[in-house]
Each structure stands twice: as structure tokens, then as C-alpha cells.
Amino acid sequence: RRGSVKLMILGVMCVQNAVYTVGRTYSIRNEHVSMSEVLLVGEMIKLVVCGCVSLQGDPAVSDVPGTGLERLAWLLVNSRKMIIVSGVYGMMNILSFVALLYIGSTEFIIIAQLKILTTGLASMLFLSKQISTTKWRALLLLVLGCCLVSLANTNNASESTNSRRLIGCSLTALEVTLSGCNSVYFEKVVKSTTERVSVWERNFQLAILGVFLYIGIITYNIGTSDKGPNLFDNWTLFTFFIAFLAASGGLLVAATLKYADSILKTLATAGSIVLASLLGNVFLGELMNMDVAIGSGVVIIAILNYSLDATPAPAIPKAVDQAEHRSDVEEQPTNIGRSGYLVVSQSECEDHI
């Protein structure tokens, strides 16, 4: 039965990622809806679901005191550490929506995989983590695959279209850079805190802050617009479906942490690339030729090579290792290892939040 649950999660993750990327591309280009409104509804859905789950916490995974509404009040009061994380996630979401106005969903989902590279570099710079030679080779392969897909689209587009694509690629690159830095910052926050908070409760905190953020953006847009308030203008059932997909990304985190492993999440990512390419070609008329297919395949191989690499990381100097050992003895243990490996699975889950 557990194997069936894993397969179901694999399918849901794959479909959610691909359909959400292609679906919001269609929505913002054809329905002309407010991206802030879509994201606000998504955060509200996530807030309700995570709030209901967080009402009754599990003492085995959470130290949040009280019961019922007392728990939610404690999470709200103690959500200060998540303000920066939530703000950066909000910026990333808006950047991705704007980027999809300029580039296709296939190119976007391929370039977005560079978050593995940015997370690895940020971990080296700020957490002093080590990356094996095999992982460096996989990162180089990842960059080459992204370049191949991008060049294929460049060669088949006009000069004016390529100018727009440059904007979209730049925005996507900025988003993945923020993703890598935010993942490392989130890890530092988790390691520095003493209380245990479940993933549902973290999602609740992020959803609260996200709701305030998007309400502020919408209020600002209304105040600076000459047309007056037009909330939920041009919304359709499909738009609500996109908002639900936006929320489901965060809700899938709990399931992936409980049932999934790195292999499953890697396969889901690879499957979403293939599915998004096919859906983009069928429903949006996006480019699908041999160059794109080869580039997508190279990216998938790079992700598999990176995630499944079992090569030991470069050895830590003895003096540093002894100091690290003393630190382990003096500090309270955490569930984040100090092995020197780059942990990608956590950052992948955080991008769904």
C-alpha cells in the first residue's frame, strides 16, 4: 500500500508542476487577470487547510503549546522569523508570473531548474557546505541543457521576440537566484531555532504573511489605478483552478516529506519537464523540436545525476572537523545533518511552499 501512495504522490507532483506552469501561462496571456489576486486566493486556500490541520498538533513533531485556536495564535505571534522568507517567496511568485508573459512555459520550467545551481552555490558561500566532483559535473550539464533549450527558442524567433525573451529569461534567472538564497536562509533559520514546528504549521505561518503581502499589493494597485477597484475582474472557473494549483504546491510538501524520498521527487521533476513541454506544444503552440527535446533530456539527466550521486563530499580539514564535533556535543541536536553534503530535497520542498 505504501508503494501505491508513493506512485500517487509522484503522479500528483508531476501533474501539478506541469499543469500549473502551462495553466498560468495561458491565464495571464488570455484572461488578463491580476496575478496578485490569483496568488492571494491561493494563499487563502493554503491558510484554511493548514490552519485546520494545525489546530490539533502532534507532540511528536511539534512543540507548539496549547490546543485549538491557542496554537494558531502562538504560530501567528511567533511568525517573525518567516517574514523575510515569505516576502522573498512573494517576490519569486510575482517574478514567475511576469516572466511567463515573455517566455514559454517549456523554457521557463527548464531554466527554473537552475535553482539547484543557485542553492548549491549559496550553500557553499553561506553554510560552508561541500559539493562533490560528480555534483559539479551535473551542475555544468544542467547549465548546458538550459542553454541548449534557450538557444533553440532564440534561433526560431524574430529579433523583437528575442528582445522580449531576454526579459523573461532575466526575470527567471533572478527568481532562481532568490530561490537559492531563500532556501539557505530558511535552513539557517530552522537550525538556529529551538522549537519544533511541523511543515503544516510552517505553511500556516507563511500563508498568513502571504495573505497580508498580497492584500497590500492589491490595495496599492487599486489606489494607483484610474479605473477604480475591479477585484476578480475577468475571473473564470479556470482561474480559480490555477489558484487552487498555486495552493496545492505548498500542501504537497507534507505528503512528500512523509512518503517521498529524493528519487521520487527527482522523477517527479523530470516528469513535469516532459509533461510541460508536451502541454505547452499542444495548447500554447510552443516550440518542440529536436534541439528542445535534447536540451530537456540533458537537464533531466543532470537532475538525476545530481540527486542520486552517492560520492562522498570533499573531506573537511581535521581542525574544522574537530571544532564541528565539539559544536555537535555542545549544541542541541537538530534533524539537519552536518555531513557536508548539499541537501537538495529540503530546498525542493520549500519551493512548493
Side-chain angles (χ1 to χ4, degrees):
R1 183 182 178 183
R2 190 176 181 87
S4 300
V5 174
K6 281 188 174 184
L7 289 176
M8 183 182 69
I9 294 175
L10 169 64
V12 172
M13 288 175 62
C14 175
V15 172
Q16 186 273 339
N17 196 5
V19 175
Y20 180 49
T21 302
V22 177
R24 60 181 169 163
T25 304
Y26 172 85
S27 182
I28 60 179
R29 291 182 182 179
N30 297 279
E31 297 183 324
H32 306 291
V33 297
S34 169
M35 64 187 76
S36 299
E37 293 173 359
V38 174
L39 294 170
L40 173 62
V41 173
E43 292 296 324
M44 292 177 68
I45 294 173
K46 188 166 65 175
L47 178 66
V48 171
V49 175
C50 293
C52 292
V53 176
S54 300
L55 284 172
Q56 299 295 329
D58 183 0
V61 296
S62 175
D63 292 333
V64 177
T67 58
L69 294 178
E70 293 179 355
R71 295 175 53 82
L72 301 186
W74 187 93
L75 289 170
L76 177 59
V77 172
N78 291 273
S79 61
R80 294 186 300 274
K81 290 183 178 180
M82 294 292 106
I83 291 178
I84 295 179
V85 177
S86 178
V88 175
Y89 280 141
M91 292 175 58
M92 290 165 51
N93 286 328
I94 293 174
L95 283 172
S96 65
F97 267 87
V98 177
L100 286 169
L101 288 171
Y102 298 97
I103 59 176
S105 56
T106 301
E107 193 170 6
F108 173 83
I109 201 170
I110 290 291
I111 298 176
Q113 304 312 312
L114 290 175
K115 64 188 176 185
I116 302 176
L117 173 63
T118 57
T119 302
L121 294 177
S123 297
M124 287 186 60
L125 291 175
F126 303 115
L127 298 180
S128 300
K129 290 194 173 181
Q130 304 296 313
I131 301 179
S132 68
T133 304
T134 302
K135 283 184 168 63
W136 277 118
R137 185 181 64 223
L139 290 175
L140 177 61
L141 195 62
L142 176 67
V143 173
L144 293 176
C146 292
C147 291
L148 184 58
V149 173
S150 184
L151 288 174
N153 283 274
T154 300
N155 295 332
N156 287 273
S158 63
E159 184 175 349
S160 59
T161 301
N162 281 331
S163 298
R164 291 174 55 85
R165 287 185 53 256
L166 179 61
I167 298 175
C169 292
S170 300
L171 291 173
T172 308
L174 177 58
E175 185 210 354
V176 299
T177 301
L178 290 174
S179 173
C181 295
N182 207 34
S183 297
V184 171
Y185 175 79
F186 184 86
E187 183 174 347
K188 288 180 71 71
V189 169
V190 171
K191 293 177 80 170
S192 64
T193 187
T194 55
E195 72 271 359
R196 294 179 304 163
V197 180
S198 72
V199 65
W200 292 102
E201 292 159 351
R202 285 295 186 205
N203 268 293
F204 177 78
Q205 290 178 319
L206 292 171
I208 290 178
L209 298 171
V211 167
F212 284 124
L213 173 65
Y214 296 126
I215 287 178
I217 294 175
I218 293 172
T219 302
Y220 174 80
N221 291 337
I222 292 176
T224 57
S225 176
D226 297 330
K227 300 180 181 179
N230 292 314
L231 293 175
F232 303 106
D233 194 26
N234 298 326
W235 274 60
T236 64
L237 289 176
F238 184 75
T239 314
F240 281 102
F241 175 64
I242 296 301
F244 171 78
L245 289 178
S248 64
L251 299 178
L252 280 172
V253 173
T256 56
L257 288 180
K258 184 174 182 179
Y259 295 103
D261 51 27
S262 60
I263 298 177
L264 182 67
K265 284 176 281 191
T266 302
L267 291 176
T269 301
S272 66
I273 292 174
V274 176
L275 183 58
S277 300
L278 294 175
L279 293 177
N281 176 257
V282 173
F283 294 103
L284 301 177
E286 295 178 357
L287 178 67
M288 174 55 72
N289 58 16
M290 185 59 67
D291 291 338
V292 174
I294 293 175
S296 300
V298 169
V299 170
I300 291 172
I301 292 172
I303 295 172
L304 290 169
N305 195 9
Y306 188 99
S307 301
L308 305 183
D309 172 44
T311 305
I316 302 175
K318 186 175 182 180
V320 176
D321 186 61
Q322 290 175 349
E324 190 76 10
H325 176 71
R326 289 195 299 270
S327 176
D328 285 346
V329 174
E330 295 170 0
E331 296 177 359
Q332 291 293 329
T334 66
N335 56 1
I336 299 179
R338 296 176 177 269
S339 61
Y341 285 93
L342 175 60
V343 182
V344 177
S345 58
Q346 178 176 343
S347 63
E348 290 173 349
C349 290
E350 288 160 9
D351 288 335
H352 287 296
I353 295 180

